Amino acid sequence: MPHIYVILFVFSALAAITTYFIPAGEFNRVPGPEGRTTIDPNSFHHVEQTPVGITDFLTVIPRGLIDAGEVVFFTFIIGGMFMVLRRTGIIEVAVDKLARKFSHKSIMLIPVLTTVFAIIATLIGTAELSLVYIPVIMPLIIALGYDSITAAAIALCGTVVGFTAGVLNPINTGLGQKLSDLPVFSGIELRLIVFIVTVTAAILFIIRYARKVKKDPTRSLVYEDDMEKRALYKSVGKAEAISATARQKWAAVAALVFFVILVYGVISKGWFMVEMAGLFIIMGIVVGMIAGLKLGELCEAFTQGFKDVLMGAFIVGLARAVAVVLEDGNIMDTMVHTLGSLVGDLPPALAAVGMYVVQVFINFIISSGSGQALVTMPIMAPLADMVGVTRQTAVLAYQLGDGFTHIFYPTSGYFMAALAIAGVQWQKWIRFFFPLFLIWAGISVVTLVIAQLIGWS
């Protein structure tokens, strides 16, 4: 496959070309729940065509980087902070201890970690925490004989399952139900079943791949890419045990305190990437100094970390350029309106599946879960009434169509940043993940048909 830069540039170019052929249109924006802006579903109207010309196209990548600045710089800070932790030696010590403890039952880490990450995401709705999980578990997973894809899959699949099922997720379930005039978090039983089935499918799929890699490392999709990591962690848990110095022990305690503050801030204060990035900068400085790093060493560690994730950070902005083109051409609302209208002529059960397919397509251009809800649910909720689909089912179709594609489409910012941190190319991730994506799609279709047949509301 072509380089990811080429793929995303082609997507942006194709989007620019479509602005000459797809009629421009827009919905009126109105105040929505919790001070958010949503759309008036009955207000769609065509506007003057604004095709994206060559001059405008020249600016879409820089503007994409600016628009996605929050994710771009969060990626840099994550890379820098974890490089500081590596230079302190506390990660090496922790990995050595865990590798020894799980040396004979390493496969159990997969269901345990995947389930924990899924539960956290399904309660607080922050799939972006996979950006934090990946560098933490990567050394351990490599040391135990697996590969970077296994580590990325544990974090990405676990968090996306929890986010998608949304048992008590305020970001997609709560907002989607508010926009559809449903009691918030109603219908929890079916969502809990979806959570259990999809997380089980993910765990079995990852274990199957991990066992193959453990048995024959050359069968890893990232065998050559992981050479440096394997060399770095090959002796972990095998040679003489590594003992932490007093300063490293205090640095480890300080790191744990910062992670507790992180969890508190996300859950209680609504922190997101900007706040977390600020915390990680202070965390890197404080933990590094406690461990004995000099100021010059701290700066060099941050710089090396920035270099390691540079490509991934740029990809985030390049992916955002696709949406910038569609917004400039005023065709994003037209595409949403047209896709929504296609569902109207289908029988109820098929209409529910059609809503799912529409949401899958829309997530390519609107990669934010809450953003997709604000644009699509004001259309899908009344449309569901017209075609005989329950509103609860329509919300679930949005959740399933939006959620799993977050770790499939290259236009998903946090996902591409996570792959960058893991050192996994998007093309190789797709080779690994596509079968699981199809399994999840099959579960989604069956669930929606059942939900409609039983009149789930």
Side-chain angles (χ1 to χ4, degrees), residues 55-102:
T55 304
D56 297 324
F57 185 73
L58 291 175
T59 68
V60 297
I61 293 176
R63 288 164 56 207
L65 283 162
I66 293 170
D67 282 4
E70 187 172 316
V71 184
V72 171
F73 287 102
F74 183 72
T75 305
F76 278 128
I77 299 305
I78 282 279
M81 186 270 292
F82 274 97
M83 181 56 70
V84 171
L85 294 187
R86 281 180 57 183
R87 293 283 178 89
T88 65
I90 62 176
I91 289 182
E92 185 179 3
V93 172
V95 168
D96 182 77
K97 293 184 181 300
L98 288 171
R100 293 176 189 280
K101 185 173 183 179
F102 287 94

Side-chain angles (χ1 to χ4, degrees), residues 85-407:
L85 294 187
R86 281 180 57 183
R87 293 283 178 89
T88 65
I90 62 176
I91 289 182
E92 185 179 3
V93 172
V95 168
D96 182 77
K97 293 184 181 300
L98 288 171
R100 293 176 189 280
K101 185 173 183 179
F102 287 94
S103 59
H104 300 296
K105 48 183 177 180
S106 61
I107 203 70
M108 290 304 299
L109 278 174
I110 295 175
V112 170
L113 292 175
T114 304
T115 302
V116 169
F117 297 159
I119 290 173
I120 293 172
T122 209
L123 295 178
I124 64 177
T126 49
E128 292 81 4
L129 283 178
S130 55
L131 291 162
V132 179
Y133 301 146
I134 288 174
V136 172
I137 67 173
M138 179 68 73
L140 177 61
I141 298 301
I142 297 292
L144 291 172
Y146 305 114
D147 65 358
S148 296
I149 285 183
T150 304
I154 291 170
L156 286 170
C157 293
T159 53
V160 88
V161 162
F163 179 87
T164 303
V167 177
L168 292 174
N169 181 358
I171 305 298
N172 63 356
T173 305
L175 183 57
Q177 289 180 331
K178 284 182 180 179
L179 291 166
S180 303
D181 294 324
L182 292 169
V184 176
F185 300 133
S186 56
I188 191 172
E189 296 83 5
L190 184 57
R191 292 198 305 280
L192 188 57
I193 293 173
V194 171
F195 175 86
I196 294 171
V197 172
T198 51
V199 79
T200 300
I203 289 169
L204 294 176
F205 185 83
I206 298 170
I207 285 176
R208 179 176 175 271
Y209 174 81
R211 280 178 170 160
K212 180 176 69 174
V213 171
K214 179 93 168 180
K215 184 177 181 181
D216 181 3
T218 61
R219 298 184 69 184
S220 165
L221 295 175
V222 290
Y223 177 72
E224 294 183 358
D225 302 332
D226 277 355
M227 283 185 176
E228 184 178 341
K229 294 175 186 174
R230 287 196 301 273
L232 183 62
Y233 300 114
K234 65 180 180 180
S235 61
V236 173
K238 298 175 183 176
E240 185 178 346
I242 302 174
S243 299
T245 65
R247 297 194 73 152
Q248 285 177 326
K249 290 178 181 178
W250 282 112
V253 171
L256 288 174
V257 170
F258 274 104
F259 277 114
V260 170
I261 294 172
L262 171 69
V263 173
Y264 170 76
V266 170
I267 295 176
S268 302
K269 300 297 182 180
W271 285 5
F272 201 49
M273 291 189 180
V274 172
E275 293 83 1
M276 289 193 289
L279 181 70
F280 285 147
I281 292 173
I282 303 301
M283 176 180 174
I285 295 171
V286 172
V287 173
M289 293 184 71
I290 292 175
L293 294 182
K294 298 177 181 179
L295 290 179
E297 293 174 320
L298 272 175
C299 295
E300 286 300 320
F302 269 111
T303 301
Q304 184 58 50
F306 298 158
K307 291 178 181 178
D308 289 348
V309 298
L310 175 61
M311 177 180 168
F314 185 76
I315 287 172
V316 172
L318 194 57
R320 174 61 188 162
V322 178
V324 170
V325 171
L326 299 178
E327 291 167 358
D328 282 359
N330 283 317
I331 64 172
M332 187 177 290
D333 284 6
T334 302
M335 296 170 72
V336 172
H337 174 72
T338 302
L339 289 170
S341 300
L342 292 175
V343 179
D345 297 327
L346 298 173
L350 289 180
V353 177
M355 288 179 175
Y356 163 75
V357 174
V358 166
Q359 299 285 8
V360 166
F361 279 108
I362 289 175
N363 191 251
F364 181 80
I365 57 177
I366 307 176
S367 60
S368 164
S370 58
Q372 187 167 338
L374 291 163
V375 171
T376 62
M377 288 318 300
I379 299 172
M380 293 300 177
L383 181 61
D385 296 338
M386 293 171 57
V387 298
V389 173
T390 68
R391 290 197 171 198
Q392 199 76 264
T393 303
V395 173
L396 185 62
Y398 143 68
Q399 292 178 229
L400 296 172
D402 162 73
F404 296 132
T405 51
H406 281 307
I407 59 171

